[in-house]
Amino acid sequence: MSDRPRLTTSSGAPIASNQNSKTVGRDGPVLLEDYQLIEKLAHQNRERIPERIVHAKGWGAYGTLRVTEDVSKYTRAKVLQPGTETPLLARFSTVAGEQGAADAERDVRGFSLKFYTEEGNWDLVGNNTPVFFVADPLKFPDFIHTQKRHPKTNMRSATAMWDFWSLCPESLHQVTILMSDRGLPQTPMHMNGYGSHTFSLWNDAGERYWVKFHFKTRQGHKHFTNDEAVEVIGKSRETYQEALFGTIEAGGTPAWDMFIQVMPEMEAKDFQAKTGWSAFDLTKVWPHDMYPLIKVGEFELNRNAENYFSEIEQSAFNPSNVVPGIGFSPDKMLQGRLFSYPDAHRYRIGTHYDSLPVNKPKSEVNHYHRDGTMPFGLKTNPDAYYEPNSFGGPVEDPSVAEPPHRYEGEVDRYEYRSEADHFSQPRALFQMFDEGEKSRLFGNIATAMTGVPEFIVERQLALFDQVDPAYGAGVREALTHAKTENAGVDTSHAAE
Ligand code: NDP
Ligand code: HEM
């Protein structure tokens, strides 16, 4: 017997042989009583859990948030007080591809942060873009269907994507970012992160401020062109994992600076009156000259997970995980997400997903939820299993009550502001691009439109024209080149 640990069944019984099944005679059939074999095969059949419905392919690591500045006048959140250091888990992802997809694909990137604060977990589940394609959660499942596989061809459909985008002009801003250089970062370390939504901060005096969160990469922005990505993917499909895991394994500590934009609660109406944009519209940014970036601190990544499945795959990021001092806003998309994520986690992982080590808060957890799958570490006080009780069970703490939100209005299904200006923010972005960036934008769009029916292309071009005539004209010209190059090749993925 060596000094290595003894192999056992999952119920702890020592195992004599892990190489040979139990058979009737040397060449005879295997016995059903070989419980070791049955356990091993049965376990293997259950090794996969459903992948995330979106953002299935991901890369993550642990790190630390350090608050270097004083933003305490805006928030009482302990995690945001000057000098505080908080452990965190980051998970980056692509949106559309499945778990086996190549990393270097053109797509929006997820940018999720879980801060293990002393008052519970705070999750910021953002993207590498400050805006999104749609502004109403009712549109989200349809949008995602256009990014996933066509039900008949089982291939991605460019037709579906451009059909949807051209019918939802609010997507123009995000489409422009996606098709620009920043739509294909070289690694997760070379991109910014944004909370994207408007959230809120509230302080001890009960004052609320609307807030947007920004994380700027210290590694600089680095992107692949489409052609470079083809080469990269030809050599490796796992380039993000190699880069992030490899950097941290070699002692590197990729870092981001954290900023906020802050809007006093009552200013949201003025912002709307001045700009025509709602402060809660996820397809819009708050211009920096109106709401400058305020530095909060920095975070670095410094430790890889020991087990990818249990720490990265089973991590559960949830926009409704906030802590006292941080709150929501009326942003409809955010409101939809507050329901969607914990619902997804209960289905994908199990009822007590928050009890798994990676999701478990580092602060004390006391609740009265009972039973269900994976109830690890539920506290036992056999008589205090309901609330209120007279037997010493946990009680509420009114000192953490959030100030009330001030809402008014008539309940209705309001159309997305038909008068909304979908064009000036993409225009500001387009006009920031240099000639090279513009030309790559046109080329990327033309490539992405390959095989899309003419009437959809025309509808989308009319939208680009409204952003800037040079935008529409540039894409038209790139499409002419693309048509010459693709002559005779049927690349349509659509089943029209
Ligand atoms: P600013 O000039 O103050 O800010 C421009 C922002 O754009 C910076 O955050 C910069 O990020 C980012 N940016 C720079 N180059 C590119 C690029 N090639 N692709 C994508 N983003 C880039 O102007 P405004 O605040 O008035 O915003 C103008 C436009 O910039 C917006 O309409 C929006 O499209 C885009 N933008 C605005 C942001 C905001 O929160 N206001 C955030 C990100 C983009 P960095 O400093 O990291 O390079
Ligand atoms: C993942 C729903 C919009 C960023 C997910 C998941 C669901 C979901 C169900 C899978 C969760 C899981 O299984 O763990 C929605 C809905 C949206 C929406 C209903 C709109 C109403 C957004 C927006 C952003 C975003 C606007 C970014 C600003 C992410 C990220 C992940 C994710 C980063 C991966 C989280 C991780 O790393 O585990 N989304 N989403 N989503 N979503 Fe969304």
Side-chain angles (χ1 to χ4, degrees):
M1 177 82 197
S2 78
D3 55 2
R4 286 170 54 173
R6 193 156 65 163
L7 185 68
T8 69
T9 62
S10 58
S11 56
I15 285 177
S17 166
N18 194 35
Q19 316 302 322
N20 309 308
S21 318
K22 207 186 242 185
T23 52
V24 185
R26 177 164 294 276
D27 299 317
V30 174
L31 293 187
L32 186 60
E33 71 158 49
D34 188 352
Y35 63 91
Q36 283 169 228
L37 174 68
I38 305 289
E39 178 175 284
K40 209 166 174 182
L41 294 180
H43 231 275
Q44 184 184 35
N45 287 349
R46 291 161 181 78
E47 277 182 4
R48 295 284 92 79
I49 58 172
E51 65 175 32
R52 289 164 175 80
I53 180 67
V54 282
H55 296 263
K57 181 89 192 266
W59 322 274
Y62 296 98
T64 311
L65 170 74
R66 283 184 202 91
V67 176
T68 53
E69 315 300 318
D70 187 353
V71 293
S72 60
K73 66 178 170 184
Y74 304 120
T75 180
R76 55 161 292 173
K78 291 197 170 154
V79 57
L80 295 179
Q81 299 310 306
T84 306
E85 294 203 359
T86 305
L88 66 90
L89 172 71
R91 181 177 179 273
F92 310 105
S93 48
T94 44
V95 180
E98 294 92 356
Q99 258 182 351
D103 294 349
E105 288 184 350
R106 181 170 299 281
D107 199 352
V108 170
R109 264 63 180 168
F111 198 105
S112 306
L113 300 171
K114 181 184 286 296
F115 301 101
Y116 302 96
T117 91
E118 59 179 280
E119 289 190 309
N121 288 351
W122 172 37
D123 294 357
L124 251 186
V125 198
N127 279 336
N128 69 333
T129 63
V131 294
F132 197 70
F133 297 94
V134 290
D136 191 309
L138 258 182
K139 289 190 169 192
F140 183 78
D142 292 299
F143 163 64
I144 291 301
H145 289 161
T146 71
Q147 302 297 300
K148 293 279 186 179
R149 292 170 187 273
H150 185 283
K152 182 171 176 185
T153 65
N154 199 33
M155 291 187 275
R156 304 281 295 280
S157 167
T159 297
M161 294 179 203
W162 290 103
D163 190 30
F164 184 88
W165 286 334
S166 63
L167 290 168
C168 298
E170 68 268 32
S171 63
L172 261 172
H173 198 178
Q174 179 79 324
V175 167
T176 304
I177 297 175
L178 173 63
M179 294 296 159
S180 78
D181 287 351
R182 289 198 186 183
L184 186 29
Q186 286 194 7
T187 84
M189 296 169 284
H190 295 96
M191 61 189 197
N192 287 348
Y194 303 88
S196 308
H197 296 280
T198 299
F199 287 86
S200 52
L201 297 178
W202 49 277
N203 61 20
D204 277 326
E207 295 157 335
R208 187 182 299 280
Y209 296 86
W210 305 118
V211 65
K212 284 192 183 275
F213 295 98
H214 300 251
F215 300 90
K216 290 207 180 205
T217 173
R218 283 204 187 157
Q219 290 67 240
H221 292 275
K222 281 195 191 167
H223 319 109
F224 288 129
T225 63
N226 281 354
D227 288 344
E228 286 167 344
V230 168
E231 289 238 340
V232 167
I233 293 172
K235 291 187 188 133
S236 168
R237 301 169 66 76
E238 318 299 338
T239 42
Y240 276 37
Q241 182 70 4
E242 287 159 10
L244 182 65
F245 185 86
T247 299
I248 294 172
E249 212 60 5
T253 53
W256 284 258
D257 289 308
M258 177 178 182
F259 299 89
I260 50 177
Q261 285 178 292
V262 174
M263 180 188 290
E265 182 180 14
M266 303 318 279
E267 240 175 73
K269 279 191 182 139
D270 297 346
F271 178 75
Q272 169 120 35
K274 248 186 251 166
T275 62
W277 305 317
S278 160
F280 310 108
D281 179 345
L282 184 57
T283 67
K284 306 287 184 295
V285 296
W286 297 352
H288 290 136
D289 58 355
M290 298 180 77
Y291 295 97
L293 294 178
I294 300 168
K295 178 93 190 271
V296 176
E298 64 206 19
F299 81 83
E300 66 169 33
L301 299 180
N302 47 33
R303 181 164 63 90
N304 279 319
E306 289 300 319
N307 183 298
Y308 180 89
F309 177 79
S310 50
E311 295 165 70
I312 307 300
E313 187 56 22
Q314 289 203 309
S315 60
F317 294 87
N318 174 4
S320 55
N321 282 352
V322 291
V323 290
I326 302 176
F328 309 127
S329 83
D331 176 337
K332 297 178 206 190
M333 289 287 282
L334 174 59
Q335 294 282 328
R337 295 180 73 200
L338 300 180
F339 155 74
S340 180
Y341 288 68
D343 183 54
H345 299 147
R346 285 178 205 113
Y347 161 71
R348 181 170 71 83
I349 310 173
T351 315
H352 291 279
Y353 62 91
D354 266 337
S355 304
L356 292 176
V358 70
N359 298 323
K360 197 175 156 106
K362 304 218 183 294
S363 57
E364 198 173 323
V365 177
N366 297 308
H367 56 65
Y368 290 91
H369 307 315
R370 288 183 52 85
D371 304 350
T373 51
M374 306 186 298
F376 307 127
L378 285 194
K379 300 223 171 96
T380 45
N381 173 347
D383 295 321
Y385 58 95
Y386 52 88
E387 213 278 331
N389 65 67
S390 313
F391 302 105
V395 289
E396 59 223 13
D397 173 4
S399 76
V400 297
E402 185 175 353
H405 273 278
R406 301 165 219 260
Y407 293 135
E408 57 184 34
E410 291 170 16
V411 173
D412 206 345
R413 294 182 184 276
Y414 291 94
E415 198 183 332
Y416 180 75
R417 302 168 190 281
S418 46
E419 79 283 12
D421 161 19
H422 309 301
F423 306 105
S424 20
Q425 292 206 359
R427 182 176 306 130
L429 180 64
F430 177 74
Q431 292 176 351
M432 239 161 44
F433 295 157
D434 63 25
E435 287 313 305
E437 285 175 296
K438 282 184 184 157
S439 146
R440 288 188 294 277
L441 170 76
F442 304 148
N444 293 338
I445 292 176
T447 307
M449 283 180 160
T450 307
V452 176
E454 207 55 35
F455 75 96
I456 294 177
V457 172
E458 284 304 325
R459 193 164 55 207
Q460 185 68 41
L461 287 171
L463 294 176
F464 291 144
D465 285 338
Q466 288 183 75
V467 175
D468 189 318
Y471 193 168
V475 177
R476 271 188 193 83
E477 202 191 321
L479 279 167
T480 317
H481 289 304
K483 268 191 197 130
T484 325
E485 280 169 21
N486 291 325
V489 184
D490 177 10
T491 43
S492 173
H493 291 172
E496 288 89 37

